[in-house]
Amino acid sequence: MGTTPVPPRSLSGREEAILLKVLSGDVEGAARFLGQIPFAKVVATWGVGSPSVDLEVLAGAEAVRGMDGLLPVGAEVRDQSGEYIGEILVWVDGGYLSAIEYAWVSDDRPTVLPDPAALTVSH
């Protein structure tokens, strides 16, 4: 998914907070996905200036067997007036967290992930 490799780095506070919020509810394998967060590194962005990132989970984390593709969680992003402006999608590859995608509906591509407080999560 990533198009711009970056030197592997730890998750930012916002990236981690978004994953914590998305995984906070009734998500299959949530506890194991939460356990992967300390082992997760950002390894690519989805283009220069894109807030979407590819992740690699380092050895030591437990996989969630049978999980692949899009995590079945709704995480809508709403602006201060409550208007829908996008959503956060969390991708899984081989049972490991593999990407955080910010899908937006505005004309201007966002350059940062939304504040986790702007997320409305449904499971």
Side-chain angles (χ1 to χ4, degrees), residues 61-99:
E62 184 180 353
V64 180
R65 295 191 193 284
M67 293 291 287
D68 237 352
L70 184 60
L71 201 62
V73 177
E76 293 183 352
V77 181
R78 299 199 173 265
D79 65 16
Q80 292 178 343
S81 66
E83 185 175 336
Y84 174 82
I85 58 171
E87 62 186 297
I88 293 294
L89 306 170
V90 176
W91 292 90
V92 176
D93 185 19
Y96 293 99
L97 297 169
S98 64

PDB file of all heavy atoms in Angstrom, residues 61-99:
ATOM      1  N   ALA A  61       5.408 -10.076  18.674  1.00  0.00           N
ATOM      2  CA  ALA A  61       3.970  -9.836  18.793  1.00  0.00           C
ATOM      3  C   ALA A  61       3.213 -11.063  18.285  1.00  0.00           C
ATOM      4  O   ALA A  61       3.664 -11.740  17.368  1.00  0.00           O
ATOM      5  CB  ALA A  61       3.572  -8.607  17.992  1.00  0.00           C
ATOM      6  N   GLU A  62       2.062 -11.306  18.876  1.00  0.00           N
ATOM      7  CA  GLU A  62       1.243 -12.441  18.490  1.00  0.00           C
ATOM      8  C   GLU A  62       0.296 -12.065  17.353  1.00  0.00           C
ATOM      9  O   GLU A  62      -0.360 -11.024  17.398  1.00  0.00           O
ATOM     10  CB  GLU A  62       0.428 -12.910  19.700  1.00  0.00           C
ATOM     11  CG  GLU A  62      -0.394 -14.141  19.454  1.00  0.00           C
ATOM     12  CD  GLU A  62      -1.189 -14.569  20.685  1.00  0.00           C
ATOM     13  OE1 GLU A  62      -1.002 -13.993  21.772  1.00  0.00           O
ATOM     14  OE2 GLU A  62      -2.015 -15.474  20.533  1.00  0.00           O
ATOM     15  N   ALA A  63       0.237 -12.901  16.335  1.00  0.00           N
ATOM     16  CA  ALA A  63      -0.679 -12.678  15.213  1.00  0.00           C
ATOM     17  C   ALA A  63      -2.107 -13.030  15.618  1.00  0.00           C
ATOM     18  O   ALA A  63      -2.332 -13.813  16.538  1.00  0.00           O
ATOM     19  CB  ALA A  63      -0.270 -13.526  14.014  1.00  0.00           C
ATOM     20  N   VAL A  64      -3.063 -12.435  14.922  1.00  0.00           N
ATOM     21  CA  VAL A  64      -4.470 -12.772  15.089  1.00  0.00           C
ATOM     22  C   VAL A  64      -4.819 -13.697  13.932  1.00  0.00           C
ATOM     23  O   VAL A  64      -4.986 -13.251  12.791  1.00  0.00           O
ATOM     24  CB  VAL A  64      -5.360 -11.506  15.092  1.00  0.00           C
ATOM     25  CG1 VAL A  64      -6.820 -11.888  15.270  1.00  0.00           C
ATOM     26  CG2 VAL A  64      -4.905 -10.539  16.183  1.00  0.00           C
ATOM     27  N   ARG A  65      -4.870 -14.966  14.206  1.00  0.00           N
ATOM     28  CA  ARG A  65      -5.082 -15.965  13.153  1.00  0.00           C
ATOM     29  C   ARG A  65      -6.390 -15.717  12.394  1.00  0.00           C
ATOM     30  O   ARG A  65      -7.405 -15.379  12.970  1.00  0.00           O
ATOM     31  CB  ARG A  65      -5.087 -17.360  13.747  1.00  0.00           C
ATOM     32  CG  ARG A  65      -3.757 -17.757  14.340  1.00  0.00           C
ATOM     33  CD  ARG A  65      -3.751 -19.237  14.658  1.00  0.00           C
ATOM     34  NE  ARG A  65      -2.637 -19.623  15.494  1.00  0.00           N
ATOM     35  CZ  ARG A  65      -1.388 -19.768  15.079  1.00  0.00           C
ATOM     36  NH1 ARG A  65      -1.096 -19.533  13.821  1.00  0.00           N
ATOM     37  NH2 ARG A  65      -0.434 -20.139  15.902  1.00  0.00           N
ATOM     38  N   GLY A  66      -6.308 -15.891  11.089  1.00  0.00           N
ATOM     39  CA  GLY A  66      -7.478 -15.783  10.248  1.00  0.00           C
ATOM     40  C   GLY A  66      -7.898 -14.363   9.912  1.00  0.00           C
ATOM     41  O   GLY A  66      -8.913 -14.162   9.269  1.00  0.00           O
ATOM     42  N   MET A  67      -7.117 -13.380  10.337  1.00  0.00           N
ATOM     43  CA  MET A  67      -7.468 -11.987  10.053  1.00  0.00           C
ATOM     44  C   MET A  67      -6.599 -11.461   8.927  1.00  0.00           C
ATOM     45  O   MET A  67      -5.369 -11.535   8.995  1.00  0.00           O
ATOM     46  CB  MET A  67      -7.290 -11.116  11.294  1.00  0.00           C
ATOM     47  CG  MET A  67      -8.262 -11.431  12.414  1.00  0.00           C
ATOM     48  SD  MET A  67      -9.965 -10.993  12.060  1.00  0.00           S
ATOM     49  CE  MET A  67      -9.906  -9.239  12.168  1.00  0.00           C
ATOM     50  N   ASP A  68      -7.246 -10.940   7.902  1.00  0.00           N
ATOM     51  CA  ASP A  68      -6.562 -10.372   6.745  1.00  0.00           C
ATOM     52  C   ASP A  68      -7.481  -9.330   6.120  1.00  0.00           C
ATOM     53  O   ASP A  68      -8.696  -9.497   6.107  1.00  0.00           O
ATOM     54  CB  ASP A  68      -6.277 -11.458   5.706  1.00  0.00           C
ATOM     55  CG  ASP A  68      -4.811 -11.586   5.345  1.00  0.00           C
ATOM     56  OD1 ASP A  68      -4.017 -10.742   5.768  1.00  0.00           O
ATOM     57  OD2 ASP A  68      -4.478 -12.540   4.632  1.00  0.00           O
ATOM     58  N   GLY A  69      -6.910  -8.262   5.607  1.00  0.00           N
ATOM     59  CA  GLY A  69      -7.711  -7.251   4.924  1.00  0.00           C
ATOM     60  C   GLY A  69      -8.129  -6.140   5.865  1.00  0.00           C
ATOM     61  O   GLY A  69      -7.449  -5.807   6.823  1.00  0.00           O
ATOM     62  N   LEU A  70      -9.278  -5.581   5.571  1.00  0.00           N
ATOM     63  CA  LEU A  70      -9.796  -4.445   6.321  1.00  0.00           C
ATOM     64  C   LEU A  70     -10.376  -4.895   7.660  1.00  0.00           C
ATOM     65  O   LEU A  70     -11.195  -5.812   7.707  1.00  0.00           O
ATOM     66  CB  LEU A  70     -10.864  -3.743   5.486  1.00  0.00           C
ATOM     67  CG  LEU A  70     -11.471  -2.473   6.035  1.00  0.00           C
ATOM     68  CD1 LEU A  70     -10.412  -1.404   6.252  1.00  0.00           C
ATOM     69  CD2 LEU A  70     -12.531  -1.964   5.076  1.00  0.00           C
ATOM     70  N   LEU A  71      -9.957  -4.250   8.736  1.00  0.00           N
ATOM     71  CA  LEU A  71     -10.520  -4.540  10.052  1.00  0.00           C
ATOM     72  C   LEU A  71     -11.986  -4.100  10.054  1.00  0.00           C
ATOM     73  O   LEU A  71     -12.289  -2.974   9.643  1.00  0.00           O
ATOM     74  CB  LEU A  71      -9.728  -3.782  11.116  1.00  0.00           C
ATOM     75  CG  LEU A  71      -9.793  -4.271  12.543  1.00  0.00           C
ATOM     76  CD1 LEU A  71      -9.228  -5.685  12.671  1.00  0.00           C
ATOM     77  CD2 LEU A  71      -9.020  -3.336  13.440  1.00  0.00           C
ATOM     78  N   PRO A  72     -12.911  -4.959  10.491  1.00  0.00           N
ATOM     79  CA  PRO A  72     -14.334  -4.625  10.411  1.00  0.00           C
ATOM     80  C   PRO A  72     -14.784  -3.659  11.519  1.00  0.00           C
ATOM     81  O   PRO A  72     -15.501  -4.030  12.450  1.00  0.00           O
ATOM     82  CB  PRO A  72     -15.018  -5.990  10.537  1.00  0.00           C
ATOM     83  CG  PRO A  72     -14.066  -6.801  11.357  1.00  0.00           C
ATOM     84  CD  PRO A  72     -12.689  -6.321  10.978  1.00  0.00           C
ATOM     85  N   VAL A  73     -14.326  -2.421  11.396  1.00  0.00           N
ATOM     86  CA  VAL A  73     -14.656  -1.373  12.361  1.00  0.00           C
ATOM     87  C   VAL A  73     -14.960  -0.098  11.587  1.00  0.00           C
ATOM     88  O   VAL A  73     -14.234   0.258  10.656  1.00  0.00           O
ATOM     89  CB  VAL A  73     -13.474  -1.101  13.319  1.00  0.00           C
ATOM     90  CG1 VAL A  73     -13.789   0.037  14.259  1.00  0.00           C
ATOM     91  CG2 VAL A  73     -13.096  -2.344  14.095  1.00  0.00           C
ATOM     92  N   GLY A  74     -16.021   0.585  11.967  1.00  0.00           N
ATOM     93  CA  GLY A  74     -16.305   1.888  11.384  1.00  0.00           C
ATOM     94  C   GLY A  74     -15.689   2.968  12.246  1.00  0.00           C
ATOM     95  O   GLY A  74     -15.893   2.987  13.457  1.00  0.00           O
ATOM     96  N   ALA A  75     -14.924   3.848  11.661  1.00  0.00           N
ATOM     97  CA  ALA A  75     -14.288   4.944  12.403  1.00  0.00           C
ATOM     98  C   ALA A  75     -14.458   6.225  11.588  1.00  0.00           C
ATOM     99  O   ALA A  75     -13.563   6.651  10.859  1.00  0.00           O
ATOM    100  CB  ALA A  75     -12.827   4.641  12.668  1.00  0.00           C
ATOM    101  N   GLU A  76     -15.629   6.827  11.709  1.00  0.00           N
ATOM    102  CA  GLU A  76     -15.939   8.041  10.950  1.00  0.00           C
ATOM    103  C   GLU A  76     -15.227   9.249  11.552  1.00  0.00           C
ATOM    104  O   GLU A  76     -15.116   9.377  12.768  1.00  0.00           O
ATOM    105  CB  GLU A  76     -17.443   8.303  10.955  1.00  0.00           C
ATOM    106  CG  GLU A  76     -18.237   7.272  10.202  1.00  0.00           C
ATOM    107  CD  GLU A  76     -19.714   7.595  10.154  1.00  0.00           C
ATOM    108  OE1 GLU A  76     -20.174   8.540  10.838  1.00  0.00           O
ATOM    109  OE2 GLU A  76     -20.428   6.895   9.412  1.00  0.00           O
ATOM    110  N   VAL A  77     -14.777  10.129  10.668  1.00  0.00           N
ATOM    111  CA  VAL A  77     -14.162  11.392  11.083  1.00  0.00           C
ATOM    112  C   VAL A  77     -15.193  12.484  10.843  1.00  0.00           C
ATOM    113  O   VAL A  77     -15.763  12.586   9.756  1.00  0.00           O
ATOM    114  CB  VAL A  77     -12.878  11.692  10.276  1.00  0.00           C
ATOM    115  CG1 VAL A  77     -12.246  13.000  10.750  1.00  0.00           C
ATOM    116  CG2 VAL A  77     -11.890  10.540  10.374  1.00  0.00           C
ATOM    117  N   ARG A  78     -15.442  13.284  11.855  1.00  0.00           N
ATOM    118  CA  ARG A  78     -16.403  14.387  11.753  1.00  0.00           C
ATOM    119  C   ARG A  78     -15.714  15.680  12.154  1.00  0.00           C
ATOM    120  O   ARG A  78     -14.867  15.700  13.036  1.00  0.00           O
ATOM    121  CB  ARG A  78     -17.609  14.125  12.636  1.00  0.00           C
ATOM    122  CG  ARG A  78     -18.315  12.839  12.202  1.00  0.00           C
ATOM    123  CD  ARG A  78     -19.719  12.751  12.712  1.00  0.00           C
ATOM    124  NE  ARG A  78     -20.382  11.590  12.118  1.00  0.00           N
ATOM    125  CZ  ARG A  78     -21.134  11.637  11.038  1.00  0.00           C
ATOM    126  NH1 ARG A  78     -21.352  12.766  10.419  1.00  0.00           N
ATOM    127  NH2 ARG A  78     -21.689  10.531  10.551  1.00  0.00           N
ATOM    128  N   ASP A  79     -16.090  16.761  11.454  1.00  0.00           N
ATOM    129  CA  ASP A  79     -15.511  18.064  11.799  1.00  0.00           C
ATOM    130  C   ASP A  79     -16.219  18.634  13.028  1.00  0.00           C
ATOM    131  O   ASP A  79     -17.106  17.985  13.614  1.00  0.00           O
ATOM    132  CB  ASP A  79     -15.539  19.022  10.609  1.00  0.00           C
ATOM    133  CG  ASP A  79     -16.937  19.403  10.160  1.00  0.00           C
ATOM    134  OD1 ASP A  79     -17.913  19.186  10.919  1.00  0.00           O
ATOM    135  OD2 ASP A  79     -17.061  19.938   9.040  1.00  0.00           O
ATOM    136  N   GLN A  80     -15.859  19.849  13.409  1.00  0.00           N
ATOM    137  CA  GLN A  80     -16.397  20.450  14.632  1.00  0.00           C
ATOM    138  C   GLN A  80     -17.908  20.662  14.573  1.00  0.00           C
ATOM    139  O   GLN A  80     -18.571  20.705  15.602  1.00  0.00           O
ATOM    140  CB  GLN A  80     -15.686  21.757  14.930  1.00  0.00           C
ATOM    141  CG  GLN A  80     -14.235  21.538  15.310  1.00  0.00           C
ATOM    142  CD  GLN A  80     -13.503  22.838  15.563  1.00  0.00           C
ATOM    143  OE1 GLN A  80     -13.946  23.906  15.179  1.00  0.00           O
ATOM    144  NE2 GLN A  80     -12.349  22.739  16.210  1.00  0.00           N
ATOM    145  N   SER A  81     -18.466  20.760  13.374  1.00  0.00           N
ATOM    146  CA  SER A  81     -19.919  20.928  13.246  1.00  0.00           C
ATOM    147  C   SER A  81     -20.638  19.579  13.148  1.00  0.00           C
ATOM    148  O   SER A  81     -21.858  19.538  13.025  1.00  0.00           O
ATOM    149  CB  SER A  81     -20.259  21.795  12.027  1.00  0.00           C
ATOM    150  OG  SER A  81     -19.884  21.118  10.836  1.00  0.00           O
ATOM    151  N   GLY A  82     -19.882  18.489  13.213  1.00  0.00           N
ATOM    152  CA  GLY A  82     -20.473  17.157  13.149  1.00  0.00           C
ATOM    153  C   GLY A  82     -20.616  16.591  11.756  1.00  0.00           C
ATOM    154  O   GLY A  82     -21.152  15.499  11.574  1.00  0.00           O
ATOM    155  N   GLU A  83     -20.132  17.322  10.756  1.00  0.00           N
ATOM    156  CA  GLU A  83     -20.242  16.863   9.371  1.00  0.00           C
ATOM    157  C   GLU A  83     -19.203  15.777   9.089  1.00  0.00           C
ATOM    158  O   GLU A  83     -18.045  15.882   9.473  1.00  0.00           O
ATOM    159  CB  GLU A  83     -20.025  18.032   8.417  1.00  0.00           C
ATOM    160  CG  GLU A  83     -20.234  17.663   6.969  1.00  0.00           C
ATOM    161  CD  GLU A  83     -20.124  18.861   6.036  1.00  0.00           C
ATOM    162  OE1 GLU A  83     -20.341  19.998   6.489  1.00  0.00           O
ATOM    163  OE2 GLU A  83     -19.818  18.629   4.857  1.00  0.00           O
ATOM    164  N   TYR A  84     -19.655  14.727   8.385  1.00  0.00           N
ATOM    165  CA  TYR A  84     -18.773  13.626   7.983  1.00  0.00           C
ATOM    166  C   TYR A  84     -17.742  14.143   6.993  1.00  0.00           C
ATOM    167  O   TYR A  84     -18.093  14.737   5.974  1.00  0.00           O
ATOM    168  CB  TYR A  84     -19.612  12.511   7.350  1.00  0.00           C
ATOM    169  CG  TYR A  84     -18.799  11.381   6.770  1.00  0.00           C
ATOM    170  CD1 TYR A  84     -18.313  10.371   7.581  1.00  0.00           C
ATOM    171  CD2 TYR A  84     -18.528  11.324   5.409  1.00  0.00           C
ATOM    172  CE1 TYR A  84     -17.573   9.322   7.055  1.00  0.00           C
ATOM    173  CE2 TYR A  84     -17.799  10.285   4.863  1.00  0.00           C
ATOM    174  CZ  TYR A  84     -17.316   9.291   5.699  1.00  0.00           C
ATOM    175  OH  TYR A  84     -16.576   8.261   5.165  1.00  0.00           O
ATOM    176  N   ILE A  85     -16.445  13.913   7.304  1.00  0.00           N
ATOM    177  CA  ILE A  85     -15.385  14.362   6.396  1.00  0.00           C
ATOM    178  C   ILE A  85     -14.439  13.234   5.990  1.00  0.00           C
ATOM    179  O   ILE A  85     -13.501  13.459   5.237  1.00  0.00           O
ATOM    180  CB  ILE A  85     -14.583  15.536   6.996  1.00  0.00           C
ATOM    181  CG1 ILE A  85     -13.955  15.167   8.330  1.00  0.00           C
ATOM    182  CG2 ILE A  85     -15.468  16.774   7.128  1.00  0.00           C
ATOM    183  CD1 ILE A  85     -12.977  16.201   8.873  1.00  0.00           C
ATOM    184  N   GLY A  86     -14.698  12.032   6.491  1.00  0.00           N
ATOM    185  CA  GLY A  86     -13.846  10.912   6.113  1.00  0.00           C
ATOM    186  C   GLY A  86     -13.944   9.778   7.114  1.00  0.00           C
ATOM    187  O   GLY A  86     -14.846   9.742   7.954  1.00  0.00           O
ATOM    188  N   GLU A  87     -13.004   8.860   6.979  1.00  0.00           N
ATOM    189  CA  GLU A  87     -12.964   7.739   7.916  1.00  0.00           C
ATOM    190  C   GLU A  87     -11.552   7.188   8.017  1.00  0.00           C
ATOM    191  O   GLU A  87     -10.724   7.404   7.135  1.00  0.00           O
ATOM    192  CB  GLU A  87     -13.941   6.648   7.507  1.00  0.00           C
ATOM    193  CG  GLU A  87     -13.656   6.015   6.170  1.00  0.00           C
ATOM    194  CD  GLU A  87     -14.746   5.034   5.758  1.00  0.00           C
ATOM    195  OE1 GLU A  87     -14.936   4.026   6.463  1.00  0.00           O
ATOM    196  OE2 GLU A  87     -15.397   5.281   4.738  1.00  0.00           O
ATOM    197  N   ILE A  88     -11.320   6.498   9.113  1.00  0.00           N
ATOM    198  CA  ILE A  88     -10.051   5.810   9.327  1.00  0.00           C
ATOM    199  C   ILE A  88     -10.287   4.330   9.071  1.00  0.00           C
ATOM    200  O   ILE A  88     -11.249   3.737   9.589  1.00  0.00           O
ATOM    201  CB  ILE A  88      -9.540   6.008  10.778  1.00  0.00           C
ATOM    202  CG1 ILE A  88      -9.176   7.472  11.014  1.00  0.00           C
ATOM    203  CG2 ILE A  88      -8.358   5.082  11.067  1.00  0.00           C
ATOM    204  CD1 ILE A  88      -7.987   7.979  10.215  1.00  0.00           C
ATOM    205  N   LEU A  89      -9.434   3.751   8.254  1.00  0.00           N
ATOM    206  CA  LEU A  89      -9.468   2.324   7.960  1.00  0.00           C
ATOM    207  C   LEU A  89      -8.177   1.710   8.492  1.00  0.00           C
ATOM    208  O   LEU A  89      -7.092   2.268   8.288  1.00  0.00           O
ATOM    209  CB  LEU A  89      -9.566   2.086   6.452  1.00  0.00           C
ATOM    210  CG  LEU A  89     -10.727   2.792   5.746  1.00  0.00           C
ATOM    211  CD1 LEU A  89     -10.573   2.682   4.239  1.00  0.00           C
ATOM    212  CD2 LEU A  89     -12.042   2.218   6.197  1.00  0.00           C
ATOM    213  N   VAL A  90      -8.298   0.588   9.174  1.00  0.00           N
ATOM    214  CA  VAL A  90      -7.124  -0.123   9.678  1.00  0.00           C
ATOM    215  C   VAL A  90      -7.029  -1.434   8.920  1.00  0.00           C
ATOM    216  O   VAL A  90      -7.988  -2.213   8.867  1.00  0.00           O
ATOM    217  CB  VAL A  90      -7.217  -0.360  11.202  1.00  0.00           C
ATOM    218  CG1 VAL A  90      -6.032  -1.189  11.696  1.00  0.00           C
ATOM    219  CG2 VAL A  90      -7.280   0.972  11.949  1.00  0.00           C
ATOM    220  N   TRP A  91      -5.857  -1.665   8.336  1.00  0.00           N
ATOM    221  CA  TRP A  91      -5.619  -2.851   7.511  1.00  0.00           C
ATOM    222  C   TRP A  91      -4.772  -3.851   8.274  1.00  0.00           C
ATOM    223  O   TRP A  91      -3.910  -3.489   9.073  1.00  0.00           O
ATOM    224  CB  TRP A  91      -4.917  -2.447   6.216  1.00  0.00           C
ATOM    225  CG  TRP A  91      -5.801  -1.628   5.329  1.00  0.00           C
ATOM    226  CD1 TRP A  91      -5.939  -0.264   5.317  1.00  0.00           C
ATOM    227  CD2 TRP A  91      -6.713  -2.118   4.353  1.00  0.00           C
ATOM    228  NE1 TRP A  91      -6.871   0.119   4.381  1.00  0.00           N
ATOM    229  CE2 TRP A  91      -7.364  -1.001   3.778  1.00  0.00           C
ATOM    230  CE3 TRP A  91      -7.039  -3.393   3.905  1.00  0.00           C
ATOM    231  CZ2 TRP A  91      -8.310  -1.128   2.781  1.00  0.00           C
ATOM    232  CZ3 TRP A  91      -7.990  -3.524   2.903  1.00  0.00           C
ATOM    233  CH2 TRP A  91      -8.609  -2.396   2.350  1.00  0.00           C
ATOM    234  N   VAL A  92      -5.021  -5.133   7.968  1.00  0.00           N
ATOM    235  CA  VAL A  92      -4.331  -6.253   8.603  1.00  0.00           C
ATOM    236  C   VAL A  92      -3.792  -7.159   7.507  1.00  0.00           C
ATOM    237  O   VAL A  92      -4.467  -7.398   6.502  1.00  0.00           O
ATOM    238  CB  VAL A  92      -5.318  -7.039   9.509  1.00  0.00           C
ATOM    239  CG1 VAL A  92      -4.656  -8.269  10.101  1.00  0.00           C
ATOM    240  CG2 VAL A  92      -5.884  -6.139  10.597  1.00  0.00           C
ATOM    241  N   ASP A  93      -2.578  -7.642   7.700  1.00  0.00           N
ATOM    242  CA  ASP A  93      -1.967  -8.568   6.741  1.00  0.00           C
ATOM    243  C   ASP A  93      -1.396  -9.745   7.525  1.00  0.00           C
ATOM    244  O   ASP A  93      -0.517  -9.554   8.363  1.00  0.00           O
ATOM    245  CB  ASP A  93      -0.876  -7.865   5.943  1.00  0.00           C
ATOM    246  CG  ASP A  93      -0.284  -8.740   4.855  1.00  0.00           C
ATOM    247  OD1 ASP A  93      -0.910  -9.742   4.456  1.00  0.00           O
ATOM    248  OD2 ASP A  93       0.834  -8.422   4.394  1.00  0.00           O
ATOM    249  N   GLY A  94      -1.922 -10.931   7.266  1.00  0.00           N
ATOM    250  CA  GLY A  94      -1.421 -12.124   7.935  1.00  0.00           C
ATOM    251  C   GLY A  94      -1.587 -12.094   9.444  1.00  0.00           C
ATOM    252  O   GLY A  94      -0.796 -12.693  10.164  1.00  0.00           O
ATOM    253  N   GLY A  95      -2.609 -11.399   9.920  1.00  0.00           N
ATOM    254  CA  GLY A  95      -2.864 -11.340  11.348  1.00  0.00           C
ATOM    255  C   GLY A  95      -2.135 -10.227  12.077  1.00  0.00           C
ATOM    256  O   GLY A  95      -2.198 -10.141  13.305  1.00  0.00           O
ATOM    257  N   TYR A  96      -1.449  -9.363  11.324  1.00  0.00           N
ATOM    258  CA  TYR A  96      -0.707  -8.251  11.926  1.00  0.00           C
ATOM    259  C   TYR A  96      -1.209  -6.916  11.378  1.00  0.00           C
ATOM    260  O   TYR A  96      -1.552  -6.807  10.200  1.00  0.00           O
ATOM    261  CB  TYR A  96       0.793  -8.375  11.610  1.00  0.00           C
ATOM    262  CG  TYR A  96       1.437  -9.562  12.280  1.00  0.00           C
ATOM    263  CD1 TYR A  96       1.634 -10.735  11.572  1.00  0.00           C
ATOM    264  CD2 TYR A  96       1.839  -9.504  13.607  1.00  0.00           C
ATOM    265  CE1 TYR A  96       2.223 -11.840  12.183  1.00  0.00           C
ATOM    266  CE2 TYR A  96       2.423 -10.599  14.225  1.00  0.00           C
ATOM    267  CZ  TYR A  96       2.616 -11.770  13.511  1.00  0.00           C
ATOM    268  OH  TYR A  96       3.180 -12.860  14.112  1.00  0.00           O
ATOM    269  N   LEU A  97      -1.236  -5.908  12.236  1.00  0.00           N
ATOM    270  CA  LEU A  97      -1.572  -4.559  11.784  1.00  0.00           C
ATOM    271  C   LEU A  97      -0.647  -4.194  10.634  1.00  0.00           C
ATOM    272  O   LEU A  97       0.574  -4.379  10.739  1.00  0.00           O
ATOM    273  CB  LEU A  97      -1.396  -3.559  12.929  1.00  0.00           C
ATOM    274  CG  LEU A  97      -2.304  -3.768  14.141  1.00  0.00           C
ATOM    275  CD1 LEU A  97      -1.850  -2.884  15.304  1.00  0.00           C
ATOM    276  CD2 LEU A  97      -3.747  -3.482  13.777  1.00  0.00           C
ATOM    277  N   SER A  98      -1.205  -3.671   9.537  1.00  0.00           N
ATOM    278  CA  SER A  98      -0.344  -3.372   8.388  1.00  0.00           C
ATOM    279  C   SER A  98      -0.498  -1.955   7.847  1.00  0.00           C
ATOM    280  O   SER A  98       0.371  -1.499   7.104  1.00  0.00           O
ATOM    281  CB  SER A  98      -0.582  -4.374   7.256  1.00  0.00           C
ATOM    282  OG  SER A  98      -1.899  -4.271   6.767  1.00  0.00           O
ATOM    283  N   ALA A  99      -1.572  -1.237   8.190  1.00  0.00           N
ATOM    284  CA  ALA A  99      -1.710   0.131   7.684  1.00  0.00           C
ATOM    285  C   ALA A  99      -2.804   0.880   8.427  1.00  0.00           C
ATOM    286  O   ALA A  99      -3.767   0.283   8.922  1.00  0.00           O
ATOM    287  CB  ALA A  99      -2.024   0.125   6.189  1.00  0.00           C
TER     288      ALA A  99
END
